[in-house]
């Protein structure tokens, strides 16, 4: 993979797989959670990239800065009222622990030599009509894109001696 976004996706996916084994499904966010029966395993993390801005550095090199959006989703569990027995309440609240582990795995982590560190900027609960619990975590990241940098080609000058000087 040569695209910086493809590489970034694969690195994020591997980091989550390695550091947060409780997550059963990690994929690109292609709108799976908008279906009545999402084609995912629970809990899942869906990854997308938003609002990337590019700044020219010269010689066709650019700096990219934007947001990695993670949608951490859970199937419905039991409720968490004060009357709910502790084991059921703990299971219902387990998404907070998974979110915490996900954050520890990503905040300050550098996906590779070409990327800066990921920095969390927000964590919100999506307002949904269905019973799925979806937390949206946003991380800022930057990288330099050298893919269109022009290579300067140099030709070695040939020196031709026209007249020799005799001593």
């Amino acid at each position: 993979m040569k695209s910086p976004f493809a590489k970034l996706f694969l690195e994020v996916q591997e980091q989550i797989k390695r550091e947060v084994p409780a997550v059963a499904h990690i994929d690109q966010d292609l709108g799976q959670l908008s279906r009545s029966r999402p084609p995912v395993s629970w809990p899942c993390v869906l990854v997308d990239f938003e609002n990337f801005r590019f700044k020219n550095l010269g010689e066709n090199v650019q700096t990219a800065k934007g947001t990695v959006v993670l949608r951490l989703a859970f199937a419905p569990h039991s409720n968490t009222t004060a009357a709910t027995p502790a084991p059921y309440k703990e299971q219902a609240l387990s998404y907070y622990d998974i979110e915490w582990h996900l954050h520890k795995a990503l905040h300050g982590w550098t996906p590779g030599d070409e990327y800066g560190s990921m920095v969390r900027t927000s964590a919100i609960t999506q307002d949904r009509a269905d019973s799925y619990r979806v937390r949206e975590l946003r991380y800022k990241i930057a990288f330099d894109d050298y893919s269109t940098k022009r290579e300067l080609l140099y030709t070695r000058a040939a020196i031709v001696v026209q007249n020799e000087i005799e001593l």
Side-chain angles (χ1 to χ4, degrees):
M1 301 257 100
K2 298 213 182 230
S3 162
F5 290 105
K7 286 192 234 177
L8 180 57
F9 171 78
L10 292 173
E11 290 292 332
V12 168
Q13 187 178 52
E14 278 303 308
Q15 179 72 352
I16 295 169
K17 195 165 115 179
R18 183 175 43 252
E19 298 295 325
V20 193
V23 173
H25 185 92
I26 309 159
D27 198 358
Q28 293 181 75
D29 189 342
L30 302 172
Q32 297 94 318
L33 298 177
S34 61
R35 299 180 188 171
S36 60
R37 300 183 102 188
V40 300
S41 300
W42 305 103
C44 72
V45 172
L46 301 176
V47 181
D48 200 3
F49 307 111
E50 288 185 356
N51 301 320
F52 271 80
R53 303 283 187 252
F54 298 87
K55 180 179 176 186
N56 286 322
L57 300 177
E59 296 184 18
N60 283 345
V61 176
Q62 293 185 313
T63 289
K65 292 181 182 178
T67 303
V68 177
V69 180
L70 305 171
R71 287 184 181 83
L72 175 60
F74 300 87
H77 286 294
S78 63
N79 58 41
T80 57
T81 68
T84 303
Y88 298 109
K89 192 183 298 188
E90 286 175 22
Q91 182 182 14
L93 294 173
S94 68
Y95 65 87
Y96 284 125
D97 283 336
I98 294 172
E99 179 181 333
W100 180 67
H101 287 294
L102 183 60
H103 172 64
K104 285 181 20 178
L106 296 176
H107 182 75
W109 171 69
T110 303
D113 293 341
E114 34 190 295
Y115 303 97
S117 299
M118 293 181 63
V119 177
R120 181 174 60 182
T121 59
S122 68
I124 61 167
T125 300
Q126 286 186 345
D127 185 20
R128 300 179 59 89
D130 57 28
S131 58
Y132 299 112
R133 175 81 171 178
V134 180
R135 295 281 291 164
E136 186 175 287
L137 310 173
R138 292 175 167 268
Y139 291 82
K140 288 285 185 192
I141 194 164
F143 62 88
D144 290 338
D145 183 359
Y146 290 89
S147 65
T148 55
K149 182 178 181 179
R150 290 195 178 108
E151 266 191 60
L152 299 177
L153 300 176
Y154 296 97
T155 304
R156 179 171 267 166
I159 298 176
V160 178
V161 177
Q162 296 290 338
N163 298 321
E164 288 188 29
I165 301 176
E166 290 186 28
L167 297 176

